[in-house]
Coordinates of all heavy atoms in Angstrom, one line a residue:
M1340 N 21.3 -4.0 -32.8 CA 20.3 -3.4 -31.9 C 20.7 -2.0 -31.4 O 21.9 -1.8 -31.0 CB 20.2 -4.4 -30.7 CG 18.8 -4.4 -30.2 SD 18.6 -5.8 -28.9 CE 18.6 -4.8 -27.4
T1341 N 19.8 -1.1 -31.4 CA 20.1 0.2 -31.0 C 19.7 0.4 -29.5 O 18.8 -0.3 -29.0 CB 19.3 1.3 -31.8 OG1 18.0 0.9 -31.8 CG2 19.8 1.4 -33.2
D1342 N 20.5 1.2 -28.8 CA 20.2 1.4 -27.4 C 18.9 2.2 -27.3 O 18.6 3.1 -28.1 CB 21.3 2.2 -26.8 CG 22.5 1.3 -26.5 OD1 22.3 0.1 -26.3 OD2 23.6 1.9 -26.4
K1343 N 18.1 1.9 -26.3 CA 16.9 2.7 -26.0 C 17.3 4.0 -25.5 O 18.3 4.2 -24.8 CB 16.1 1.9 -25.0 CG 14.8 1.4 -25.5 CD 13.8 1.2 -24.4 CE 12.4 1.6 -25.0 NZ 11.4 1.7 -24.0
P1344 N 16.6 5.1 -26.0 CA 16.9 6.4 -25.5 C 16.6 6.4 -24.0 O 15.8 5.7 -23.5 CB 16.0 7.3 -26.3 CG 14.9 6.5 -26.8 CD 15.5 5.1 -27.0
S1345 N 17.4 7.3 -23.3 CA 17.2 7.5 -21.9 C 15.9 8.3 -21.7 O 15.7 9.3 -22.3 CB 18.4 8.1 -21.3 OG 18.4 8.0 -19.9
P1346 N 15.1 7.9 -20.7 CA 13.9 8.8 -20.5 C 14.3 10.1 -19.9 O 15.3 10.3 -19.2 CB 13.0 7.9 -19.5 CG 14.0 7.0 -18.8 CD 15.1 6.8 -19.8
H1347 N 13.4 11.1 -20.1 CA 13.6 12.4 -19.5 C 13.3 12.3 -18.0 O 12.4 11.7 -17.6 CB 12.7 13.4 -20.2 CG 12.7 14.8 -19.6 ND1 13.7 15.6 -19.7 CD2 11.7 15.4 -18.8 CE1 13.4 16.7 -19.1 NE2 12.3 16.6 -18.5
I1348 N 14.2 13.0 -17.2 CA 13.9 13.0 -15.7 C 12.9 14.1 -15.4 O 13.2 15.3 -15.5 CB 15.2 13.2 -15.0 CG1 16.2 12.1 -15.2 CG2 14.9 13.3 -13.5 CD1 17.6 12.4 -14.7
A1349 N 11.7 13.7 -15.2 CA 10.7 14.6 -14.9 C 10.9 15.3 -13.6 O 10.8 16.5 -13.4 CB 9.3 14.0 -15.0
Q1350 N 11.2 14.5 -12.6 CA 11.6 15.0 -11.2 C 12.3 13.9 -10.5 O 12.1 12.7 -10.7 CB 10.4 15.5 -10.4 CG 9.4 14.4 -10.0 CD 8.4 14.9 -9.0 OE1 7.9 16.0 -9.1 NE2 8.0 14.1 -8.0
K1351 N 13.2 14.3 -9.6 CA 14.0 13.3 -8.9 C 13.4 12.9 -7.6 O 14.0 13.0 -6.5 CB 15.5 13.8 -8.7 CG 16.3 13.8 -9.9 CD 17.7 14.2 -9.7 CE 18.5 14.3 -11.0 NZ 19.9 14.8 -10.7
A1352 N 12.1 12.6 -7.7 CA 11.4 12.1 -6.5 C 10.1 11.4 -7.0 O 9.6 11.7 -8.1 CB 11.0 13.3 -5.6
P1353 N 9.6 10.5 -6.2 CA 8.3 9.9 -6.6 C 7.1 10.8 -6.4 O 7.2 11.8 -5.7 CB 8.3 8.7 -5.6 CG 9.0 9.1 -4.4 CD 10.1 10.0 -4.9
H1354 N 6.0 10.4 -7.0 CA 4.7 11.0 -6.8 C 3.9 10.1 -5.9 O 3.7 9.0 -6.3 CB 4.0 11.2 -8.2 CG 4.7 12.0 -9.2 ND1 4.4 13.3 -9.4 CD2 5.7 11.7 -10.0 CE1 5.1 13.8 -10.4 NE2 6.0 12.9 -10.8
A1355 N 3.4 10.6 -4.8 CA 2.5 9.9 -4.0 C 1.1 10.1 -4.6 O 0.6 11.3 -4.7 CB 2.5 10.4 -2.6
V1356 N 0.5 9.1 -5.1 CA -0.9 9.3 -5.6 C -1.8 8.2 -5.1 O -1.5 7.1 -4.7 CB -0.9 9.2 -7.2 CG1 -0.2 10.3 -7.8 CG2 -0.3 7.9 -7.7
E1357 N -3.1 8.7 -4.9 CA -4.2 7.8 -4.5 C -4.7 7.1 -5.7 O -5.1 7.7 -6.7 CB -5.3 8.7 -3.9 CG -5.1 9.3 -2.6 CD -5.3 8.3 -1.5 OE1 -6.2 7.3 -1.7 OE2 -4.7 8.4 -0.4
V1358 N -4.7 5.8 -5.6 CA -5.3 5.0 -6.8 C -6.4 4.2 -6.2 O -6.5 3.9 -5.0 CB -4.2 4.0 -7.4 CG1 -3.1 4.8 -8.1 CG2 -3.6 3.1 -6.4
E1359 N -7.4 3.9 -7.1 CA -8.6 3.3 -6.8 C -8.6 1.8 -7.3 O -8.3 1.6 -8.4 CB -9.7 4.0 -7.5 CG -10.9 4.4 -6.7 CD -11.9 5.1 -7.5 OE1 -11.7 6.4 -7.7 OE2 -12.9 4.5 -8.0
A1360 N -9.0 0.9 -6.4 CA -9.0 -0.5 -6.7 C -9.8 -0.8 -8.1 O -10.9 -0.2 -8.3 CB -9.7 -1.3 -5.6
G1361 N -9.2 -1.5 -8.9 CA -9.8 -1.9 -10.2 C -9.7 -0.9 -11.3 O -10.0 -1.2 -12.5
K1362 N -9.2 0.3 -11.0 CA -9.0 1.4 -12.0 C -7.7 1.2 -12.8 O -6.7 0.9 -12.2 CB -9.1 2.7 -11.3 CG -10.0 3.7 -12.1 CD -10.1 5.0 -11.4 CE -10.0 6.2 -12.5 NZ -10.0 7.5 -11.9
K1363 N -7.7 1.5 -14.0 CA -6.5 1.4 -14.9 C -5.8 2.8 -15.0 O -6.5 3.8 -15.2 CB -6.9 0.9 -16.3 CG -5.8 0.3 -17.0 CD -6.2 -0.3 -18.3 CE -5.1 -1.0 -19.0 NZ -5.5 -1.6 -20.3
Y1364 N -4.5 2.8 -14.9 CA -3.7 4.0 -14.9 C -2.6 3.8 -16.0 O -2.2 2.7 -16.2 CB -3.1 4.3 -13.6 CG -4.1 4.6 -12.5 CD1 -4.6 3.5 -11.8 CD2 -4.6 5.8 -12.3 CE1 -5.6 3.7 -10.8 CE2 -5.6 6.1 -11.3 CZ -6.1 5.0 -10.6 OH -7.0 5.2 -9.6
F1365 N -2.2 5.0 -16.5 CA -1.1 4.9 -17.5 C 0.0 5.8 -17.0 O -0.1 7.0 -17.1 CB -1.6 5.4 -18.9 CG -2.7 4.5 -19.5 CD1 -4.0 4.7 -19.2 CD2 -2.3 3.5 -20.3 CE1 -5.0 3.8 -19.7 CE2 -3.3 2.6 -20.9 CZ -4.6 2.8 -20.5
W1366 N 1.0 5.2 -16.5 CA 2.2 5.9 -16.0 C 3.1 6.3 -17.1 O 3.4 5.6 -18.1 CB 3.0 4.9 -15.1 CG 4.3 5.5 -14.6 CD1 4.4 6.4 -13.6 CD2 5.6 5.1 -15.0 NE1 5.8 6.6 -13.4 CE2 6.5 5.8 -14.2 CE3 6.1 4.2 -15.9 CZ2 7.9 5.7 -14.4 CZ3 7.4 4.1 -16.1 CH2 8.3 4.8 -15.3
C1367 N 3.5 7.6 -17.1 CA 4.3 8.2 -18.1 C 5.7 7.6 -18.0 O 6.4 7.8 -16.9 CB 4.4 9.7 -18.0 SG 5.7 10.4 -19.0
A1368 N 6.2 6.9 -19.0 CA 7.6 6.3 -19.0 C 8.6 7.2 -19.7 O 9.8 7.1 -19.4 CB 7.5 5.0 -19.7
C1369 N 8.2 8.1 -20.5 CA 9.1 9.0 -21.3 C 9.6 10.2 -20.5 O 10.7 10.7 -20.8 CB 8.5 9.4 -22.6 SG 7.2 10.7 -22.4
G1370 N 8.8 10.6 -19.5 CA 9.1 11.8 -18.7 C 8.7 13.1 -19.3 O 9.0 14.2 -18.7
H1371 N 8.0 13.1 -20.4 CA 7.6 14.4 -21.1 C 6.2 14.8 -20.8 O 5.8 15.9 -21.3 CB 7.9 14.3 -22.6 CG 9.3 14.2 -22.9 ND1 10.2 15.3 -22.8 CD2 10.1 13.1 -23.3 CE1 11.4 14.9 -23.2 NE2 11.4 13.6 -23.5
S1372 N 5.4 14.0 -20.2 CA 4.0 14.4 -19.9 C 4.0 15.7 -19.1 O 4.8 15.9 -18.2 CB 3.3 13.2 -19.2 OG 2.0 13.7 -18.8
K1373 N 2.9 16.5 -19.4 CA 2.7 17.7 -18.5 C 1.8 17.3 -17.4 O 1.4 18.2 -16.6 CB 2.1 18.8 -19.4 CG 2.9 19.2 -20.6 CD 3.9 20.3 -20.2 CE 4.7 20.8 -21.3 NZ 5.7 19.9 -21.8
N1374 N 1.3 16.1 -17.4 CA 0.4 15.6 -16.3 C 1.0 14.5 -15.5 O 0.4 13.4 -15.3 CB -0.9 15.1 -17.1 CG -2.0 14.7 -16.1 OD1 -2.1 15.3 -15.0 ND2 -2.7 13.7 -16.4
Q1375 N 2.3 14.7 -15.0 CA 3.0 13.7 -14.3 C 2.2 13.3 -13.0 O 1.6 14.1 -12.4 CB 4.4 14.3 -13.9 CG 5.3 14.5 -15.0 CD 5.7 13.2 -15.7 OE1 5.6 12.1 -15.1 NE2 6.0 13.3 -17.0
P1376 N 2.3 12.0 -12.7 CA 3.1 11.0 -13.3 C 2.4 10.2 -14.4 O 2.9 9.2 -14.8 CB 3.4 10.1 -12.1 CG 2.1 10.1 -11.3 CD 1.6 11.5 -11.4
F1377 N 1.3 10.8 -14.9 CA 0.6 10.0 -15.9 C 0.8 10.5 -17.3 O 1.2 11.6 -17.5 CB -0.9 10.1 -15.6 CG -1.2 9.5 -14.2 CD1 -1.6 10.4 -13.2 CD2 -1.1 8.2 -13.9 CE1 -1.9 9.9 -11.9 CE2 -1.3 7.7 -12.7 CZ -1.7 8.5 -11.6
C1378 N 0.6 9.6 -18.2 CA 0.8 9.9 -19.7 C -0.2 10.8 -20.2 O -1.4 10.7 -19.9 CB 0.7 8.5 -20.4 SG 0.7 8.7 -22.2
D1379 N 0.2 11.8 -21.0 CA -0.7 12.7 -21.7 C -0.5 12.7 -23.2 O -1.0 13.6 -23.9 CB -0.5 14.1 -21.1 CG 0.8 14.8 -21.6 OD1 1.6 14.1 -22.2 OD2 0.9 16.0 -21.4
G1380 N 0.2 11.7 -23.7 CA 0.3 11.5 -25.1 C 1.6 12.1 -25.7 O 2.0 12.0 -26.8
S1381 N 2.4 12.9 -24.8 CA 3.6 13.5 -25.2 C 4.7 12.6 -25.7 O 5.7 13.1 -26.2 CB 4.1 14.5 -24.1 OG 3.2 15.4 -23.8
H1382 N 4.6 11.3 -25.4 CA 5.6 10.3 -25.8 C 5.7 10.1 -27.3 O 6.7 9.5 -27.7 CB 5.4 9.0 -25.1 CG 4.1 8.4 -25.5 ND1 2.9 8.6 -24.7 CD2 3.7 7.6 -26.5 CE1 1.9 7.9 -25.3 NE2 2.4 7.4 -26.4
K1383 N 4.8 10.6 -28.0 CA 4.8 10.4 -29.5 C 6.2 10.8 -30.1 O 6.7 11.9 -29.9 CB 3.7 11.3 -30.2 CG 2.5 10.5 -30.3 CD 1.6 11.1 -31.4 CE 0.3 10.4 -31.4 NZ -0.7 11.1 -30.5
G1384 N 6.8 9.8 -30.8 CA 8.1 10.1 -31.4 C 9.3 9.9 -30.5 O 10.4 10.0 -31.0
T1385 N 9.1 9.6 -29.3 CA 10.2 9.4 -28.4 C 10.7 7.9 -28.3 O 11.7 7.6 -27.7 CB 9.9 9.8 -26.9 OG1 8.8 8.9 -26.4 CG2 9.4 11.3 -26.9
G1386 N 9.9 7.0 -28.8 CA 10.2 5.6 -28.7 C 9.7 5.0 -27.4 O 9.8 3.8 -27.2
F1387 N 9.1 5.8 -26.6 CA 8.5 5.3 -25.3 C 7.0 5.1 -25.4 O 6.3 5.7 -26.2 CB 8.8 6.3 -24.2 CG 10.2 6.3 -23.7 CD1 11.1 7.2 -24.3 CD2 10.7 5.4 -22.8 CE1 12.5 7.1 -23.9 CE2 12.0 5.3 -22.4 CZ 12.9 6.2 -22.9
A1388 N 6.5 4.3 -24.5 CA 5.0 4.1 -24.4 C 4.7 4.0 -22.9 O 5.5 3.6 -22.1 CB 4.7 2.7 -25.1
P1389 N 3.5 4.4 -22.6 CA 3.2 4.4 -21.2 C 3.1 3.0 -20.6 O 2.9 2.0 -21.4 CB 1.8 5.1 -21.1 CG 1.2 4.9 -22.5 CD 2.4 4.9 -23.4
N1390 N 3.2 2.9 -19.3 CA 3.1 1.6 -18.6 C 1.7 1.6 -18.0 O 1.4 2.4 -17.1 CB 4.2 1.6 -17.6 CG 4.2 0.4 -16.7 OD1 3.2 0.0 -16.2 ND2 5.4 -0.2 -16.5
A1391 N 0.9 0.7 -18.5 CA -0.5 0.6 -18.0 C -0.5 -0.4 -16.8 O 0.1 -1.4 -16.8 CB -1.4 0.1 -19.1
F1392 N -1.2 0.0 -15.8 CA -1.4 -0.9 -14.6 C -2.8 -0.7 -14.0 O -3.4 0.4 -14.1 CB -0.3 -0.7 -13.6 CG -0.4 0.7 -12.8 CD1 -0.9 0.7 -11.6 CD2 0.1 1.8 -13.4 CE1 -1.0 1.9 -10.9 CE2 0.1 3.0 -12.7 CZ -0.5 3.1 -11.5
T1393 N -3.3 -1.7 -13.4 CA -4.5 -1.7 -12.7 C -4.3 -1.7 -11.2 O -3.6 -2.6 -10.8 CB -5.4 -2.8 -13.2 OG1 -5.6 -2.7 -14.6 CG2 -6.8 -2.7 -12.6
A1394 N -4.9 -0.8 -10.5 CA -4.7 -0.8 -9.1 C -5.3 -2.0 -8.4 O -6.5 -2.3 -8.7 CB -5.2 0.5 -8.5
E1395 N -4.6 -2.7 -7.6 CA -5.2 -3.9 -6.9 C -6.1 -3.5 -5.8 O -7.0 -4.1 -5.4 CB -4.1 -4.8 -6.5 CG -3.6 -5.7 -7.6 CD -2.3 -6.4 -7.3 OE1 -2.0 -6.7 -6.1 OE2 -1.5 -6.7 -8.2
K1396 N -5.7 -2.4 -5.1 CA -6.5 -1.9 -4.0 C -6.4 -0.4 -4.0 O -5.5 0.2 -4.5 CB -6.0 -2.5 -2.7 CG -4.5 -2.4 -2.4 CD -4.2 -3.0 -1.1 CE -2.7 -2.7 -0.8 NZ -2.3 -3.0 0.6
T1397 N -7.4 0.2 -3.3 CA -7.4 1.6 -3.1 C -6.3 1.9 -2.1 O -6.4 1.4 -0.9 CB -8.8 2.1 -2.6 OG1 -9.7 1.7 -3.7 CG2 -8.8 3.6 -2.4
D1398 N -5.4 2.7 -2.5 CA -4.2 2.9 -1.6 C -3.4 4.1 -2.2 O -3.6 4.6 -3.3 CB -3.3 1.7 -1.7 CG -2.4 1.6 -0.4 OD1 -2.5 2.5 0.4 OD2 -1.6 0.6 -0.4
T1399 N -2.4 4.5 -1.4 CA -1.5 5.5 -1.8 C -0.3 4.8 -2.4 O 0.3 3.9 -1.7 CB -1.0 6.5 -0.7 OG1 -2.2 7.1 -0.2 CG2 0.0 7.5 -1.2
V1400 N 0.1 5.1 -3.6 CA 1.3 4.4 -4.2 C 2.3 5.5 -4.6 O 2.0 6.7 -4.7 CB 0.9 3.5 -5.4 CG1 0.1 2.4 -5.0 CG2 0.3 4.4 -6.5
Y1401 N 3.5 5.1 -4.7 CA 4.6 6.0 -5.0 C 5.1 5.7 -6.4 O 5.9 4.7 -6.6 CB 5.7 5.9 -3.9 CG 5.2 6.3 -2.6 CD1 4.5 5.4 -1.7 CD2 5.2 7.7 -2.2 CE1 3.9 5.9 -0.5 CE2 4.6 8.1 -1.0 CZ 4.0 7.2 -0.2 OH 3.4 7.7 1.0
L1402 N 4.7 6.5 -7.3 CA 5.0 6.3 -8.7 C 6.3 7.0 -9.0 O 6.5 8.2 -8.6 CB 3.9 6.7 -9.6 CG 2.6 6.0 -9.4 CD1 1.5 6.5 -10.4 CD2 2.7 4.5 -9.5
C1403 N 7.2 6.4 -9.8 CA 8.5 7.0 -10.1 C 8.3 8.2 -11.0 O 7.6 8.3 -12.0 CB 9.2 5.9 -10.9 SG 10.8 6.5 -11.6
G1404 N 9.0 9.3 -10.5 CA 9.0 10.6 -11.2 C 10.2 10.8 -12.1 O 10.2 11.6 -13.0
C1405 N 11.3 10.0 -11.8 CA 12.6 10.2 -12.5 C 12.6 9.3 -13.8 O 13.4 9.6 -14.6 CB 13.7 9.8 -11.6 SG 14.0 8.1 -11.3
K1406 N 11.7 8.3 -13.8 CA 11.6 7.4 -15.0 C 12.7 6.5 -15.2 O 12.8 5.8 -16.2 CB 11.4 8.2 -16.3 CG 10.3 9.4 -16.2 CD 9.0 8.9 -15.7 CE 8.0 10.0 -15.5 NZ 6.7 9.6 -15.0
H1407 N 13.6 6.4 -14.2 CA 14.7 5.5 -14.3 C 14.6 4.3 -13.3 O 15.5 3.5 -13.2 CB 16.0 6.2 -14.0 CG 16.5 7.1 -15.1 ND1 15.8 8.3 -15.5 CD2 17.5 6.9 -16.0 CE1 16.4 8.8 -16.5 NE2 17.4 8.0 -16.9
T1408 N 13.4 4.1 -12.7 CA 13.2 2.9 -11.8 C 13.3 1.6 -12.6 O 13.0 1.5 -13.8 CB 11.8 3.0 -11.2 OG1 11.6 1.8 -10.4 CG2 10.7 3.1 -12.2
A1409 N 13.8 0.6 -11.9 CA 13.8 -0.8 -12.5 C 12.5 -1.5 -12.2 O 12.4 -2.7 -12.5 CB 15.0 -1.5 -12.0
N1410 N 11.7 -0.9 -11.4 CA 10.4 -1.5 -11.0 C 9.2 -0.6 -11.4 O 8.3 -0.3 -10.6 CB 10.5 -1.7 -9.5 CG 9.3 -2.5 -9.0 OD1 8.7 -3.4 -9.7 ND2 8.8 -2.2 -7.8
A1411 N 9.2 -0.2 -12.7 CA 8.1 0.6 -13.2 C 6.7 0.0 -12.9 O 6.6 -1.2 -13.1 CB 8.3 0.9 -14.7
P1412 N 5.7 0.8 -12.6 CA 5.8 2.3 -12.5 C 6.2 2.8 -11.1 O 6.1 4.0 -10.8 CB 4.3 2.6 -12.8 CG 3.5 1.5 -12.1 CD 4.4 0.3 -12.3
Y1413 N 6.6 1.9 -10.2 CA 6.9 2.3 -8.8 C 8.3 2.8 -8.6 O 9.3 2.3 -9.2 CB 6.6 1.2 -7.9 CG 5.2 0.6 -8.1 CD1 5.0 -0.6 -8.8 CD2 4.1 1.3 -7.7 CE1 3.7 -1.0 -9.0 CE2 2.8 0.9 -7.9 CZ 2.6 -0.3 -8.6 OH 1.3 -0.8 -8.8
C1414 N 8.5 3.7 -7.7 CA 9.8 4.2 -7.3 C 10.5 3.1 -6.6 O 10.0 2.4 -5.8 CB 9.6 5.4 -6.4 SG 11.1 5.9 -5.5
D1415 N 11.8 2.9 -7.0 CA 12.6 1.9 -6.3 C 13.9 2.5 -5.7 O 14.8 1.8 -5.3 CB 13.0 0.7 -7.3 CG 14.0 1.2 -8.4 OD1 14.3 2.4 -8.4 OD2 14.5 0.3 -9.1
G1416 N 13.9 3.8 -5.6 CA 15.0 4.5 -5.0 C 16.1 4.9 -5.9 O 17.0 5.6 -5.5
T1417 N 16.0 4.5 -7.2 CA 17.0 4.9 -8.2 C 17.2 6.4 -8.3 O 18.3 6.8 -8.6 CB 16.6 4.3 -9.6 OG1 16.6 2.9 -9.4 CG2 17.7 4.6 -10.6
H1418 N 16.2 7.2 -8.0 CA 16.3 8.6 -8.2 C 17.4 9.2 -7.3 O 17.9 10.3 -7.6 CB 14.9 9.3 -7.9 CG 14.5 9.1 -6.5 ND1 13.7 8.1 -6.1 CD2 14.7 9.9 -5.4 CE1 13.4 8.2 -4.8 NE2 14.1 9.3 -4.3
T1419 N 17.8 8.5 -6.2 CA 18.8 9.1 -5.3 C 20.2 9.0 -6.0 O 21.1 9.6 -5.5 CB 18.8 8.3 -4.0 OG1 19.1 7.0 -4.2 CG2 17.5 8.5 -3.3
K1420 N 20.3 8.2 -7.0 CA 21.6 8.0 -7.7 C 21.8 8.7 -9.0 O 22.8 8.6 -9.7 CB 21.8 6.5 -8.0 CG 21.8 5.6 -6.7 CD 22.0 4.2 -7.1 CE 21.4 3.2 -6.0 NZ 20.5 2.3 -6.6
L1421 N 20.8 9.5 -9.3 CA 20.8 10.2 -10.6 C 21.6 11.6 -10.5 O 21.6 12.2 -9.4 CB 19.4 10.5 -11.2 CG 18.7 9.2 -11.5 CD1 17.2 9.6 -11.9 CD2 19.3 8.4 -12.6
Ligands
FES1457 FE1 5.2 9.9 -21.3 FE2 3.1 9.1 -22.6 S1 3.6 11.1 -22.2 S2 4.7 7.9 -21.8
FES1458 FE1 12.3 7.2 -9.9 FE2 12.3 7.1 -7.3 S1 11.4 8.6 -8.5 S2 13.2 5.7 -8.7

């Protein structure tokens, strides 16, 4: 088994974003999107794929910008240790 490549650190802080209940979002897992924190297709060839999630309620959520969270797509504080 080969090790998964490490994602690119897009930024060492979460993105506070407004999400809408019932809407589907694609969080960038590779860190290469120019449209952070969302996927723009730049993951091609990196071995990463976006993390799709549907917002349960309209709210502000904190999506991981460093891409090293253990609770994707949400920030879990891991960025403070990078
Ligand atoms: Fe990063 Fe798609 S651009 S997962
Ligand atoms: Fe990635 Fe906080 S921004 S864990």
Side-chain angles (χ1 to χ4, degrees):
M1340 215 170 102
T1341 50
D1342 283 335
K1343 246 200 141 192
S1345 193
H1347 174 70
I1348 298 170
Q1350 67 171 38
K1351 287 185 183 175
H1354 297 261
V1356 291
E1357 285 279 334
V1358 292
E1359 227 180 280
K1362 221 177 141 184
K1363 199 171 184 184
Y1364 297 89
F1365 295 87
W1366 173 76
C1367 168
C1369 72
H1371 293 287
S1372 172
K1373 299 276 184 285
N1374 185 35
Q1375 292 296 336
F1377 301 111
C1378 173
D1379 71 353
S1381 300
H1382 59 268
K1383 267 202 186 91
T1385 64
F1387 287 93
N1390 178 310
F1392 69 100
T1393 303
E1395 277 167 30
K1396 53 179 184 166
T1397 299
D1398 201 2
T1399 300
V1400 293
Y1401 296 87
L1402 300 182
C1403 172
C1405 74
K1406 314 303 176 185
H1407 285 72
T1408 177
N1410 185 34
Y1413 306 104
C1414 170
D1415 72 351
T1417 299
H1418 63 268
T1419 61
K1420 299 178 207 128
L1421 296 174

